[in-house]
């Protein structure tokens, strides 16, 4: 740490959201400095209050990560101020094709690609380069179980998360011999604003606090990939093993949104 303080510094992006907020509350304790990022300053400020009552010190940053050069510059500034030990990239957008559209709107495809893939990947790369220099640190990227399947009603969401999944695995291999860890988290449904927005049944939905605790456990164990809850890991295997015509039929039979 370059501040001379014994504190552990944890960065949480998407801290104004359901999962990011739960992660911040999970880690809030004396001896921890939390850098909480998001756009909604009111929610960040309320969260900061809670984290401070648990003994953590907190700084806030409201920014739109769609401006990737600005987000990367902010990340470097954050790390210069005090080295980040654990970076949890929990921002993201969930959206699906409108029932009336045959194909996703190009604007939606571009937005999801930037927020769910390009921005977190660029920030993780910037973070990893700095952690490699000091030979320590861990990065957590939040993918989705949707990345395992070619969802016809959510091509941009499943595609952006699939991109992040592959990026995370490649980054992990690239930096592990330099003392830096990368953990990919692939959750099923989480009971947050984004999760509740998904129409239709949401089997095995987890509470954000439970997901945060499982992520912390995966970090503690230095896991490469955490899929939660576990039946989604079985579905992933199933998707890989099924012959394409059968898999296509199954995916097409999934209930369309509406
Ligand atoms: N909920 C689920 O069922 C589920 C399942 C699998 C994976 N995930 C993933 O888990 C992560 C957290 O999602 P969540 O469920 O907690 O959703 P959420 O409650 O909607 O929170 C999303 C967070 O991302 C931030 N964000 C979105 N666009 C941003 C932008 N342009 N610039 C900066 N921050 C931005 C939001 O900030 P503001 O609110 O301040 O705008 C918010 O803090 C996401 O990556 C999501 O894809 C969620």
């Amino acid at each position: 740490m370059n501040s001379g303080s014994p504190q552990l510094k944890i960065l949480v992006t998407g801290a104004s959201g359901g999962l990011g907020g739960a992660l911040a509350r999970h880690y809030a304790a004396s001896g921890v400095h939390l850098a909480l990022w998001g756009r909604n300053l009111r929610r960040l400020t309320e969260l900061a209050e809670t984290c401070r009552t648990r003994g953590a010190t907190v700084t806030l940053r409201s920014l739109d990560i769609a401006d990737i050069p600005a987000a990367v510059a902010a990340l470097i500034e954050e790390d210069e101020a005090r080295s980040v030990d654990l970076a949890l990239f929990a921002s993201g957008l969930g959206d699906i094709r409108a029932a009336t559209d045959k194909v996703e709107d190009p604007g939606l495809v571009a937005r999801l690609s930037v927020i769910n893939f390009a921005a977190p990947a660029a920030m993780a790369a910037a973070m990893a380069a700095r952690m490699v220099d000091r030979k320590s640190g861990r990065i957590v990227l939040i993918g989705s179980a949707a990345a395992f399947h070619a969802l016809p009603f959510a091509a941009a969401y499943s595609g952006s998360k699939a991109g992040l999944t592959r990026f995370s695995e490649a980054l992990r291999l690239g930096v592990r011999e330099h003392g830096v860890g990368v953990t990919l988290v692939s959750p099923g449904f989480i009971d947050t604003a984004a999760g509740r927005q998904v129409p239709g049944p949401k089997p095995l939905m987890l509470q954000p606090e439970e997901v945060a605790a499982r992520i912390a456990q995966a970090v503690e164990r230095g896991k490469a990939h955490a899929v939660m809850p576990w039946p989604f890991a079985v579905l992933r295997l199933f998707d890989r093993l099924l012959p394409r015509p059968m898999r296509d039929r199954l995916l097409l039979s999934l209930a369309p949104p509406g």
Side-chain angles (χ1 to χ4, degrees):
M1 310 275 298
N2 47 12
S3 68
S5 144
Q7 282 189 323
L8 179 75
K9 179 168 178 179
I10 301 177
L11 166 71
V12 186
T13 73
S16 47
L19 178 58
L23 282 165
R25 287 189 296 276
H26 181 90
Y27 279 106
S30 139
V32 174
H33 179 81
L34 290 166
L36 305 178
W37 289 21
R39 284 180 302 186
N40 187 315
L41 201 51
R42 183 187 54 76
R43 284 206 300 269
L44 286 177
T45 305
E46 286 170 6
L47 177 67
E49 282 296 299
T50 306
C51 294
R52 286 189 185 111
T53 60
R54 296 182 184 192
T57 58
V58 183
T59 48
L60 305 179
R61 193 183 287 259
S62 169
L63 88 171
D64 187 341
I65 59 167
D67 183 346
I68 296 176
V72 169
L75 190 98
I76 291 168
E77 191 184 290
E78 184 77 60
D79 195 60
E80 294 269 339
R82 187 200 296 264
S83 305
V84 174
D85 300 289
L86 173 63
L88 300 148
F89 292 101
S91 51
L93 278 183
D95 213 336
I96 58 174
R97 166 161 63 80
T100 47
D101 293 343
K102 291 193 171 49
V103 180
E104 279 167 311
D105 173 72
L108 172 68
V109 175
R111 201 163 59 248
L112 291 184
S113 306
V114 169
I115 303 303
N116 289 347
F117 174 66
M123 288 192 288
M127 191 78 259
R130 297 182 66 88
M131 287 178 168
V132 161
D133 281 347
R134 51 182 181 261
K135 300 201 180 314
S136 75
R138 178 160 293 271
I139 291 167
V140 175
L141 288 157
I142 310 294
S144 169
F148 307 152
H149 313 286
L151 302 176
F153 50 86
Y157 183 73
S158 59
S160 61
K161 291 293 189 177
L164 193 69
T165 295
R166 184 51 64 95
F167 173 84
S168 174
E169 288 173 345
L171 181 69
R172 176 179 60 79
L173 287 176
V175 299
R176 77 173 178 190
E177 69 185 72
H178 304 290
V180 179
V182 178
T183 297
L184 167 69
V185 179
S186 302
F189 297 102
I190 315 173
D191 191 7
T192 64
R196 288 187 292 271
Q197 197 186 308
V198 180
K202 293 172 265 294
L204 307 172
M205 190 177 235
L206 295 172
Q207 291 305 307
E209 291 72 22
E210 190 179 353
V211 177
R214 291 188 192 199
I215 291 173
Q217 196 176 62
V219 165
E220 192 66 31
R221 293 177 181 169
K223 279 187 82 167
H225 190 188
V227 183
M228 58 193 73
W230 65 264
F232 285 91
V234 177
L235 283 178
R236 179 194 197 196
L237 195 65
F238 200 58
D239 187 292
R240 282 178 170 178
L241 294 177
L242 271 186
R244 185 185 294 276
M246 283 176 73
R247 187 173 62 225
D248 285 359
R249 269 202 304 280
L250 199 69
L251 288 166
L252 283 168
S253 74
L254 293 176

